[in-house]
Amino acid sequence: MLFLALCAMVGLSQALGAASPWAPQEPETPPSQEEKAKEDKSEDQNGEKDEKEKKDKEKSFDDAVADMERIEGLFNLYRNQDENKALIEIAPDQFDKDYLYSAKTEQATGERGLYGTIMREQYVFQWRRFGKRVQLVQKNVRFRADPGSPAAKAVEHSFSDSVMASAKVLSQPHPERESVLVDLNELLLSRDLHGMGQGLKARYNTGYKLNKDDSGFVFLKSFPKNTEIGASMNFQASEVKRSSVTLPDPRSLSLRFRYSLVELPENDYMPRISDDRVGYFVDMHMDYTDDQPETPYVRYIARWNLKKKDPQAEVSEPVEPIVYWLENSIPHKYRDAMRDGILLWNDAFERAGFRNAVVVKQQPDDADWDPADIRYNTIRWMIGYDASFAIGPSHSNPYTGQLIDADIGISEGILRLGARRRYELYVHPVQAMQRLKQESLQLDGFSAPGDGRHLCDYGQGLAEKVSMAYDVLSSRPSWDAGQEEEFVRQYTMELLAHEVGHTLGLRHNFRASIIHGLDQLSDTEATRQTGLAASVMDYNPPVIALPGEEQGDYFPTVVGSYDHWAIEYGYKPIPGADSPEDELDELNQIASRGGDPLLPYATDEDAGLSPKALDPRNTRYDFAADPMEWFSHEYKIVRELWTNMESRLLREGDSYHVLRRAFGGSFTPYFRGAHVAMKYIGGIYHNRDHFGDPQGRLPYVPVPAAEQRRAMRFLQEEIWPAQTFLPAHNLLRKLQFQRHRDFEGSAFRADRLDYPLHDAVLGIQGEILSDLYDPLKLSRILDLQLMIPEGEERFTLVDLFQGIQQGIWTELESSENIHSFRRNLQREHLRYLTQMVLQPDEDLPGDAIALARANLVQLQGAINRALSRSVDAMTRAHLQESLDRIGKTLDAGIEQRLFASEGSD
């Protein structure tokens, strides 16, 4: 039995893969010398590591900060400047507590969008212990539930936070405060926190890596409610494929950042719920407390904590006004106009119940505080090689929407009349038009999770418009120094009022310019009551009267009727409200007035120049109730400039490049006007009114067919004729490049030294076809027929296809010779028709394909008839080539359809 049991045990052991104790054992192979050396080295390294960890663990708090400068504040900092070493002290009650992280770019390269004083990331963070390390954790505040509710636990377990950085604890806790020290170098200097390497690659076409050894802290400051850390981060690349104007050697560059660690405000501020009829930036989250809400989103508007000193008074000064400081680097000549532009908002606040709500102060030359300190709202002066912009970003408490900081940046280039923008039009006129379209597409496609708070390029585009207006005005005999001073003053005021409006919480309003007819814009008595536009938050171009007409204000000199309404919604105190929900009845009464003609509103997602844009009233850089009438007015201004520029802009001794610069800038109104007309065709008036509003309108109202046909005539008469773009022959001979060298080597890089007029014209005339024939536009025109009752006039796909063809091929009926501009446009038209027949987009309506083929058949007959008449050799060659393309397309189209039919059988 014992023998059987032993056998069974051996068998089981073998079955399980275990070695039998009686099985013969293989002798162990002794380690090789190489393996033994590795083991010895590993043991040495582990021993050194253990010894180092033991040493660090045993190091007392006082020993760790010995010979270091102490900086007291919200978070105590310690610095040894000689060794480029810094520590941060974190107290026990500062762990797992919410703070605001805010980053700014303090110094950049000064070109290609990399400028100083740009606000960067903002988020709620916590310090968290993780073993012997401390983590800087970005808290996920998008998803919430009331504390203590069952949903709160589910939310906590469902969504992740993000560890942005971590560092080791460097000492024992302080014997009294029980705080710990953390390596600040490891937290902030050991990684690319902002992804700048990727951003630099996009701008310089090469990869950059953070160089920790040559990065360090430039300042450390700490105050009771915020800690400020300045860091210089060096990035290096082995080679650079794109040159730089501002960098001595683009293989190495340093960027300076400011990190603000801010205590979230603890006060009696009550959030205010947003309404889509009034345009505010919002801080939003999804609330899972209630499982049957109308919407899970809770949206709080961004606004300042403004409270009355005397709550019983109808109008009272605030307990704490909104204070803006003019940085001491701003040139003296602009300071008064900037101050006046900022203070325009006080009129709107007074109607909302606050007197002197906005205050402007001047930073003294000997000020001992930093303009980027989060405790100060500043107007900062930027300098950059290609900087022509203004920005007005702000920071708010993500939990409540309370604004806590704003820094407006104004580049000196924008008050040099957009020198850089003019330069692009001067050097690369065709690419400049393409860039305008690309900018619009980027804005139309904006889909970031934020609220568009950083989505403002008003300054750059306004500089472009102002430069052309300045050329026009300075070419008039009546223009004098006093008028020039007033023009620049109004320009500066409008620019500051717009950017300050952003820092008050307001979004753009791109419908605000429609409240006055074109003939009313010169009536200052009216425009200074309601505003030249309903809002300074529109992109308002300068208003220039034609010669012989009365000149009104060039820019809005008061905040408009919409601005008063928006400030009332955001800031008017509502007595008796103890919660945001208690305010909703009165807020709804305010917002319900949106149907008032003086309160038009549409914002970034409503405007644009692409086929996605619905409403032609929502347009950047237009004016007047009728945008097409406005651009017809602009074209008269352009033609005036073309007539006068040789004799009025060019002075004895000037380089001829003055004319080229002015001529290039005058093309952008044609580009914008053509796209506005495109938006009327297949357009829809889009309203934000709610059901039951007193003057409520339907959300979607088709643009009347008569207006769509007028837009087609606008293209036929203002954009597509060759005569539109024919300046005097002598002028074309004078559009010369500047013959001096510049930093960019423009004379070598330019595609053409003479002016590429045909390419520039086709860029405007032909570009609009891609939008009119876009599948989205064609599908909308098809669907619009269902919105229009039987018996009412309609604009159909037939009207579109016929209108385009009639406007582009008029010479076929008149027996005229065809101008070279028109030949280019006709080729472009044929390209779109043949593409629709031969390679149709999968989203293209079938009716559009049929109409494209029908157009080609019509053209085939019309061209044959035209060739029977007397035309010049170039016209004949063009028509014969067009006829050949049409014939091949129609034949190939038949073959493709037959092949598709056989395949389906």
Side-chain angles (χ1 to χ4, degrees):
M1 294 291 291
L2 177 60
F3 177 79
L4 292 175
L6 288 173
C7 290
M9 289 174 64
V10 171
L12 179 60
S13 175
Q14 291 174 343
L16 294 175
S20 167
W22 293 279
Q25 300 294 310
E26 290 288 324
E28 292 187 8
T29 304
S32 66
Q33 290 185 351
E34 183 179 350
E35 289 173 333
K36 191 173 186 306
K38 287 182 178 180
E39 289 177 3
D40 293 343
K41 185 177 180 181
S42 176
E43 288 177 3
D44 290 342
Q45 289 176 339
N46 289 334
E48 291 175 4
K49 183 177 180 182
D50 292 341
E51 186 65 25
K52 188 175 186 302
E53 288 181 354
K54 182 179 179 181
K55 184 178 178 182
D56 289 342
K57 182 178 180 181
E58 293 174 351
K59 187 180 292 185
S60 70
F61 189 100
D62 290 339
D63 287 342
V65 299
D67 300 324
M68 299 188 80
E69 175 192 4
R70 187 184 184 198
I71 304 161
E72 295 188 25
L74 176 64
F75 298 106
N76 294 334
L77 304 174
Y78 300 84
R79 183 180 190 182
N80 185 322
Q81 191 164 356
D82 293 337
E83 297 182 8
N84 188 29
K85 181 179 178 181
L87 310 177
I88 184 169
E89 179 181 353
I90 305 174
D93 62 354
Q94 291 177 324
F95 283 101
D96 302 314
K97 179 181 177 180
D98 289 347
Y99 295 94
L100 188 69
Y101 169 95
S102 167
K104 302 180 183 73
T105 302
E106 288 282 287
Q107 184 183 66
T109 64
E111 65 179 350
R112 298 177 183 170
L114 295 172
Y115 308 113
T117 69
I118 300 295
M119 284 184 164
R120 306 195 71 85
E121 293 88 343
Q122 171 196 300
Y123 52 76
V124 174
F125 82 94
Q126 290 184 349
W127 298 115
R128 294 182 187 170
R129 288 294 298 265
F130 196 78
K132 295 182 180 181
R133 298 185 70 81
V134 171
Q135 298 174 333
L136 189 157
V137 177
Q138 180 178 351
K139 191 173 178 182
N140 191 334
V141 299
R142 294 183 180 179
F143 311 99
R144 309 179 202 168
D146 288 347
S149 66
K153 294 181 180 180
V155 169
E156 182 180 357
H157 297 150
S158 298
F159 304 103
S160 174
D161 297 330
S162 297
V163 176
M164 306 306 295
S166 69
K168 58 187 175 183
V169 176
L170 292 182
S171 75
Q172 296 176 355
H174 189 277
E176 297 173 359
R177 297 191 297 271
E178 298 183 359
S179 51
V180 297
L181 293 170
V182 179
D183 188 342
L184 198 58
N185 295 61
E186 190 177 359
L187 272 174
L188 299 180
L189 300 183
S190 64
R191 67 208 67 215
D192 183 1
L193 288 173
H194 311 293
M196 293 305 300
Q198 185 175 357
L200 291 168
K201 181 177 181 180
R203 290 165 173 83
Y204 295 102
N205 199 26
T206 193
Y208 280 84
K209 291 185 178 181
L210 176 65
N211 175 20
K212 295 187 294 183
D213 294 337
D214 290 318
S215 299
F217 297 110
V218 293
F219 68 82
L220 298 174
K221 303 177 183 180
S222 203
F223 307 95
K225 293 186 178 296
N226 63 299
T227 294
E228 305 293 320
I229 301 166
S232 176
M233 312 288 277
N234 182 259
F235 293 84
Q236 294 190 353
S238 58
E239 62 175 347
V240 177
K241 299 177 182 177
R242 186 176 297 168
S243 63
S244 167
V245 174
T246 63
L247 295 170
D249 188 332
R251 291 174 298 176
S252 174
L253 59 91
S254 293
L255 306 177
R256 267 180 56 177
F257 298 100
R258 172 188 288 267
Y259 304 107
S260 299
L261 311 179
V262 183
E263 189 172 64
L264 289 176
E266 294 182 2
N267 50 35
D268 58 352
Y269 175 83
M270 186 168 70
R272 180 158 289 185
I273 296 174
S274 72
D275 192 294
D276 66 325
R277 292 167 288 187
V278 188
Y280 272 87
F281 298 126
V282 299
D283 285 288
M284 65 181 179
H285 64 275
M286 295 184 74
D287 192 325
Y288 287 89
T289 305
D290 184 354
D291 63 354
Q292 291 183 332
E294 179 183 348
T295 173
Y297 283 102
V298 177
R299 303 175 181 89
Y300 295 138
I301 67 171
R303 61 172 186 156
W304 295 94
N305 186 23
L306 212 58
K307 295 184 180 297
K308 289 183 176 181
K309 280 185 179 178
D310 183 356
Q312 307 305 317
E314 183 177 349
V315 179
S316 168
E317 290 197 348
V319 175
E320 293 184 11
I322 307 166
V323 181
Y324 294 91
W325 290 83
L326 298 178
E327 190 181 32
N328 53 25
S329 62
I330 297 173
H332 290 274
K333 62 182 178 180
Y334 298 126
R335 292 181 182 181
D336 287 343
M338 287 184 172
R339 180 180 291 105
D340 292 344
I342 296 168
L343 293 176
L344 290 181
W345 285 101
N346 271 335
D347 187 36
F349 276 103
E350 187 149 347
R351 297 192 192 186
F354 292 95
R355 183 179 295 111
N356 299 323
V358 177
V359 173
V360 180
K361 296 183 179 181
Q362 177 63 53
Q363 182 192 22
D365 289 337
D366 60 352
D368 60 357
W369 53 269
D370 193 313
D373 191 315
I374 203 167
R375 297 176 300 166
Y376 297 89
N377 305 316
T378 55
I379 313 299
R380 308 203 63 184
W381 189 250
M382 299 180 181
I383 293 179
Y385 169 69
D386 61 358
S388 296
F389 62 86
I391 56 171
S394 58
H395 287 152
S396 58
N397 183 344
Y399 289 111
T400 64
Q402 179 185 348
L403 288 166
I404 56 179
D405 173 60
D407 286 301
I408 293 171
I410 305 294
S411 76
E412 54 82 33
I414 197 172
L415 291 172
R416 274 193 294 127
L417 303 178
R420 178 61 183 173
R421 191 75 162 208
R422 299 169 82 173
Y423 188 81
E424 291 180 0
L425 292 162
Y426 159 78
V427 177
H428 300 294
V430 178
Q431 291 90 327
M433 294 298 107
Q434 293 170 345
R435 178 184 47 73
L436 283 175
K437 182 62 180 291
Q438 188 60 36
E439 286 176 1
S440 174
L441 292 175
Q442 289 173 351
L443 292 172
D444 287 355
F446 178 74
S447 60
D451 57 6
R453 202 168 299 194
H454 300 275
L455 192 67
C456 183
D457 67 346
Y458 184 33
Q460 192 171 26
L462 184 59
E464 165 212 316
K465 300 296 295 181
V466 167
S467 66
M468 192 195 85
Y470 187 81
D471 284 336
V472 172
L473 292 171
S474 59
S475 71
R476 292 179 176 176
S478 59
W479 184 246
D480 58 33
Q483 291 173 319
E484 180 178 358
E485 183 178 350
E486 180 61 16
F487 179 84
V488 174
R489 187 185 77 87
Q490 292 186 17
Y491 169 38
T492 306
M493 287 175 58
E494 157 69 6
L495 186 64
L496 266 292
H498 180 97
E499 300 304 339
V500 166
H502 282 320
T503 67
L504 298 175
L506 296 181
R507 296 194 67 186
H508 289 133
N509 181 356
F510 292 129
R511 195 181 295 176
S513 56
I514 69 169
I515 62 171
H516 296 297
L518 184 63
D519 58 346
Q520 298 173 302
L521 296 178
S522 60
D523 184 0
T524 55
E525 185 175 344
T527 59
R528 292 178 185 177
Q529 288 294 319
T530 59
L532 190 62
S535 177
V536 295
M537 304 312 297
D538 203 336
Y539 283 8
N540 295 311
V543 177
I544 308 299
L546 293 170
E549 295 181 350
E550 183 179 358
Q551 176 66 56
D553 287 329
Y554 301 109
F555 297 94
T557 56
V558 297
V559 294
S561 48
Y562 166 85
D563 297 325
H564 287 99
W565 178 53
I567 292 297
E568 178 186 2
Y569 182 91
Y571 288 91
K572 180 182 178 181
I574 299 178
D578 296 322
S579 70
E581 290 72 23
D582 291 343
E583 295 185 330
L584 286 177
D585 285 344
E586 186 160 348
L587 290 177
N588 183 64
Q589 291 298 314
I590 297 171
S592 68
R593 305 203 308 265
D596 187 327
L598 291 178
L599 305 178
Y601 170 61
T603 191
D604 295 272
E605 58 265 29
D606 303 318
L609 298 179
S610 77
K612 178 181 176 181
L614 280 177
D615 194 327
R617 301 171 301 177
N618 308 337
T619 300
R620 303 171 179 92
Y621 304 109
D622 68 335
F623 239 124
D626 185 339
M628 283 189 288
E629 186 181 12
W630 164 258
F631 281 106
S632 291
H633 169 86
E634 285 272 273
Y635 299 161
K636 294 174 184 176
I637 295 289
V638 169
R639 285 189 277 273
E640 177 199 348
L641 175 64
W642 288 0
T643 300
N644 295 337
M645 60 193 298
E646 291 181 77
S647 59
R648 303 277 171 76
L649 290 185
L650 199 63
R651 298 177 177 85
E652 188 171 347
D654 284 349
S655 166
Y656 284 105
H657 84 273
V658 171
L659 300 182
R660 183 180 179 113
R661 181 202 66 207
F663 185 76
S666 66
F667 267 65
T668 54
Y670 286 101
F671 178 89
R672 295 187 185 279
H675 280 83
V676 167
M678 178 275 297
K679 289 166 64 176
Y680 273 91
I681 297 171
I684 298 176
Y685 296 140
H686 176 217
N687 304 304
R688 289 173 172 255
D689 306 29
H690 289 189
F691 180 71
D693 285 355
Q695 301 179 47
R697 302 152 295 184
L698 292 176
Y700 298 122
V701 178
V703 171
E707 286 295 281
Q708 297 187 59
R709 291 194 171 88
R710 186 167 75 92
M712 182 61 71
R713 289 196 300 274
F714 180 93
L715 295 174
Q716 293 169 346
E717 297 169 6
E718 298 277 19
I719 303 300
W720 287 333
Q723 292 74 18
T724 297
F725 300 100
L726 282 177
H729 297 89
N730 281 341
L731 179 59
L732 291 176
R733 294 182 177 191
K734 299 175 181 177
L735 302 181
Q736 185 192 35
F737 245 91
Q738 168 65 268
R739 302 316 300 167
H740 277 304
R741 291 184 60 190
D742 58 29
F743 287 146
E744 297 194 8
S746 299
F748 292 93
R749 293 196 309 108
D751 299 324
R752 296 260 300 270
L753 294 183
D754 59 326
Y755 200 86
L757 186 58
H758 279 83
D759 292 341
V761 169
L762 184 61
I764 294 171
Q765 288 187 330
E767 168 66 29
I768 208 68
L769 291 175
S770 68
D771 292 338
L772 290 174
Y773 285 137
D774 189 278
L776 189 154
K777 170 76 74 175
L778 298 174
S779 297
R780 183 184 298 139
I781 292 175
L782 197 61
D783 288 336
L784 279 178
Q785 312 313 307
L786 305 179
M787 291 189 186
I788 301 172
E790 288 293 335
E792 289 190 14
E793 186 181 10
R794 299 178 179 182
F795 185 90
T796 66
L797 286 178
V798 173
D799 295 317
L800 174 71
F801 276 75
Q802 289 298 100
I804 294 173
Q805 185 140 308
Q806 290 168 4
I808 291 177
W809 294 86
T810 54
E811 296 88 347
L812 296 183
E813 301 301 327
S814 63
S815 300
E816 299 175 56
N817 292 323
I818 303 175
H819 190 277
S820 52
F821 288 164
R822 297 279 288 179
R823 294 197 298 269
N824 281 346
L825 177 59
Q826 290 167 3
R827 293 186 190 101
E828 191 75 353
H829 179 238
L830 272 184
R831 183 172 73 83
Y832 282 105
L833 292 181
T834 55
Q835 184 175 345
M836 280 189 275
V837 171
L838 296 178
Q839 296 177 313
D841 187 287
E842 61 180 9
D843 296 324
L844 196 68
D847 286 356
I849 300 172
L851 286 170
R853 185 181 184 281
N855 273 181
L856 290 173
V857 172
Q858 286 180 329
L859 277 176
Q860 192 176 46
I863 291 173
N864 274 317
R865 292 191 295 272
L867 284 171
S868 67
R869 299 188 289 266
S870 176
V871 290
D872 65 18
M874 191 66 247
T875 298
R876 181 171 295 278
H878 164 64
L879 292 178
Q880 288 172 336
E881 191 265 345
S882 299
L883 192 63
D884 184 57
R885 288 176 62 190
I886 292 171
K888 290 179 178 178
T889 299
L890 292 175
D891 291 343
I894 291 173
E895 291 177 5
Q896 285 187 1
R897 284 190 294 277
L898 288 173
F899 178 79
S901 175
E902 292 171 359
S904 62
D905 291 341

